[in-house]
Amino acid sequence: MTVDQRPERHDFEYAVLRAVPRVERGECINVGVLLYCRAASFVGVRTHLDEARLLALDPAADAAGVRRALRGVEGVCVGGEQAGQAAGDNPGQRFRWLTAPRSTVVQPGPVHTGLTADPEAELERLVELLVR
C-alpha cells in the first residue's frame, strides 16, 4: 500500500475513566475510555466495570453507584435529551465537560492524543488495551 492509498487519519483526544471508591485514598481502577475526534464530530465512551477489582480496593464500594455514574457519562456522550444540561452542546464541548477534573467516584484521567482513520475502532482498541 502506498502513502496515497492509506485512509486519511485525523487527530483525536482520549481520557481513561477511573473509579475511585474512596476519594480520600486516591486508589482507582480503570473503568472506561472517552474519545473525541473533531474531524469526525465524534465523541464516544466505552465502559467496563470489573466489580471484583472495585471491591478489592474497597469492600464497601457502591458498585451500583459507579454503574449509575458511568451511565450518566454515556448519556452525555450520546447527546440530546440524555445529556441533561449538556443537551445543546456540540461533541467537543461535551468531551471537555466530561474530562474536567472532579472529585467524584468516577473521574477522568489526563487527556492524551493520537491519530486514527476510524474513531470507533480506536475507542474499542483503547478499551481493550487500558481497561479490560
Side-chain angles (χ1 to χ4, degrees):
M1 180 180 286
T2 68
V3 172
D4 293 343
Q5 294 173 325
R6 278 190 258 165
E8 184 177 4
R9 297 186 331 161
H10 302 287
D11 60 323
F12 69 92
E13 300 172 73
Y14 74 95
V16 174
L17 293 175
R18 300 170 175 158
V20 186
R22 292 180 56 194
V23 176
E24 68 277 10
R25 290 182 61 110
E27 298 168 331
C28 63
I29 63 167
N30 294 348
V31 294
V33 175
L34 288 163
L35 188 139
Y36 170 58
C37 180
R38 181 178 178 197
S41 291
F42 176 88
V43 64
V45 65
R46 294 294 176 276
T47 63
H48 173 77
L49 177 59
D50 184 333
E51 196 167 320
R53 289 182 67 209
L54 179 68
L55 295 174
L57 281 182
D58 180 5
D62 180 7
V66 172
R67 289 185 200 289
R68 279 192 304 277
L70 292 172
R71 280 195 305 272
V73 170
E74 292 164 356
V76 172
C77 281
V78 170
E81 230 177 81
Q82 297 178 57
Q85 290 181 327
D89 292 348
N90 66 46
Q93 291 169 316
R94 293 195 314 270
F95 179 78
R96 298 281 173 253
W97 186 82
L98 290 168
T99 56
R102 55 185 45 100
S103 291
T104 58
V105 70
V106 173
Q107 301 177 11
V111 175
H112 304 283
T113 61
L115 292 172
T116 187
D118 184 346
E120 187 78 36
E122 189 65 33
L123 181 56
E124 295 299 332
R125 184 188 77 78
L126 289 169
V127 168
E128 288 301 318
L129 178 69
L130 303 171
V131 178
R132 294 186 186 207

